[in-house]
Amino acid sequence: MIASAELRDLDFEKISRLVYDLCGINLHDGKKELVRARLGKRLREGGFRSFSEYYRHVTTEEGREELIAMIDSVSTNLTYFFREESHFRRLRQVIQTMGGTDSKKREALRIWSAGCSSGEEPYSLAITAMESLDGRTARDVRILATDISTRVVRKAVSGMYPKEKFQKVPTDLIRKYFQYGCGQWEGYYRVRKEIRDLVTFSRFNLMDPFPPDFQFNFIFCRNVMIYFDKKTQEMLVNKFYHCLREDGYFFVGHSESLTGLSHPFKYIEPSVYRR
Ligand SMILES: C[S@@+](CC[C@H](N)C(=O)[O-])C[C@H]1O[C@@H](n2cnc3c(N)ncnc32)[C@H](O)[C@@H]1O
């Protein structure tokens, strides 16, 4: 085992190329320190002597599992409940105006949280949908939540979060949609089953072709494309367009925009677009 391996430019280039080809994440020169720190840990844990040995391993068939772990460790998973709150207000307002009040006329609602990280985003969407429907469940609400990282998807499925994560969540929503743990789960809240049941989690790489049954009213791909270069963003945004239903909405992160990309979306307001 080694204390700290040197990350040579050539190895950094090879690793960045591999990550880019696999999942579109752009590890430019400014990310070299991040790669050295995060993958250095994997090297030590796996007993690899150098980054080139590690690279050789993750590009073999036996190294597939480590390859997934490598992607997990270079991706940034920061997220929280009701992040960028204005999007949830907008979602609520749109849902309430869709199809009027006659439940028979309302079409089933499909939402995709693309790059869902540990689940706070899709659960916030599910809670917003339930609140917008005034507690009526007649209408079919289905949320697909996907991420490339197996680690975060596993966490999301459990629906279990430490109480510190709830500082900005209104108390009435906590009471209504979360259950406080006891015993070994003291200090944690779990998303209630009726909300968990609305969300389907799956590992999915946004670089892969989208299945033909991907048809949504709303797509949230927030704080994901910032890690991609322009070419990848443009390709992805156009793929999203084609799996939105007529008049469907597309949300990106508050610090993101589609400016400078060629796309057919209508601009609604900063970070919100429409098919
Ligand atoms: C910063 S988090 C954003 C989470 C959430 N959308 C939000 O705004 O709070 C970015 C997520 O994108 C995921 N991601 C990065 N590249 C991806 C890809 N090619 N396919 C799917 N997910 C990806 C990462 O694993 C990470 O969990």
Side-chain angles (χ1 to χ4, degrees):
M1 199 174 80
I2 42 152
S4 171
E6 186 200 348
L7 176 55
R8 293 179 305 141
D9 285 347
L10 183 65
D11 293 328
F12 176 62
E13 269 166 38
K14 284 204 238 163
I15 290 170
S16 321
R17 167 58 53 188
L18 179 63
V19 170
Y20 180 78
D21 288 345
L22 282 174
C23 60
I25 296 177
N26 179 16
L27 295 172
H28 51 78
D29 285 348
K31 298 276 181 181
K32 191 171 173 190
E33 201 33 50
L34 176 138
V35 170
R36 199 194 59 70
R38 295 200 184 164
L39 294 190
K41 192 160 172 256
R42 305 254 7 125
L43 253 69
R44 286 192 295 281
E45 285 172 7
F48 298 96
R49 278 165 309 196
S50 65
F51 281 95
S52 51
E53 191 188 328
Y54 183 75
Y55 175 82
R56 273 197 301 279
H57 176 68
V58 295
T59 47
T60 61
E61 199 45 49
E62 313 84 82
R64 234 198 114 61
E65 219 171 284
E66 182 55 37
L67 180 68
I68 293 174
M70 179 183 97
I71 300 292
D72 273 10
S73 58
V74 295
S75 62
T76 299
N77 309 114
L78 175 78
T79 186
Y80 40 93
F81 286 106
F82 298 100
R83 178 180 195 177
E84 302 175 350
E85 215 216 323
S86 67
H87 287 163
F88 295 93
R89 282 200 300 275
R90 165 65 77 170
L91 175 66
R92 186 176 180 143
Q93 179 235 327
V94 177
I95 292 178
Q96 286 174 334
T97 54
M98 278 168 77
T101 48
D102 181 349
S103 63
K104 285 197 199 85
K105 280 194 200 151
R106 287 193 305 238
E107 58 170 349
L109 191 67
R110 298 267 181 277
I111 307 177
W112 182 12
S113 165
C116 64
S117 190
S118 39
E120 288 87 333
E121 177 177 278
Y123 288 134
S124 303
L125 295 171
I127 290 171
T128 305
M130 288 321 287
E131 288 287 296
S132 318
L133 299 173
D134 259 346
R136 287 168 296 165
T137 49
R139 177 141 167 214
D140 176 16
V141 175
R142 289 281 168 272
I143 297 169
L144 174 69
T146 62
D147 200 283
I148 196 169
S149 161
T150 40
R151 180 175 47 85
V152 291
V153 169
R154 222 176 295 127
K155 208 167 145 201
V157 169
S158 79
M160 203 83 90
Y161 300 94
K163 67 173 192 287
E164 297 72 39
K165 282 224 147 201
F166 290 82
Q167 273 149 6
K168 288 196 180 145
V169 183
T171 324
D172 58 320
L173 293 186
I174 301 181
R175 235 181 269 129
K176 213 161 152 188
Y177 297 111
F178 296 87
Q179 241 170 332
Y180 194 64
C182 56
Q184 64 160 323
W185 294 111
E186 172 86 41
Y188 285 80
Y189 282 103
R190 187 169 201 202
V191 181
R192 285 192 191 273
K193 189 172 178 324
E194 63 264 31
I195 292 297
R196 278 186 281 129
D197 284 350
L198 301 181
V199 187
T200 305
F201 287 98
S202 164
R203 178 177 188 261
F204 182 71
N205 183 351
L206 293 169
M207 298 304 116
D208 289 345
F210 294 174
D213 64 338
F214 271 26
Q215 283 296 310
F216 304 94
N217 301 90
F218 301 93
I219 296 175
F220 287 75
C221 185
R222 306 185 310 157
N223 309 298
V224 178
M225 290 190 290
I226 32 173
Y227 305 106
F228 303 158
D229 64 10
K230 246 191 165 133
K231 184 171 137 236
T232 311
Q233 290 177 355
E234 191 165 290
M235 175 271 295
L236 194 53
V237 161
N238 283 281
K239 273 164 64 175
F240 282 133
Y241 184 85
H242 291 290
C243 58
L244 265 180
R245 288 177 174 165
E246 205 56 41
D247 296 330
Y249 282 79
F250 179 48
F251 293 76
V252 296
H254 277 174
S255 62
E256 302 170 293
S257 104
L258 308 190
T259 310
L261 307 178
S262 162
H263 66 82
F265 278 106
K266 281 182 234 145
Y267 170 85
I268 302 295
E269 63 191 20
S271 69
V272 183
Y273 299 83
R274 198 163 183 192
R275 179 168 172 152

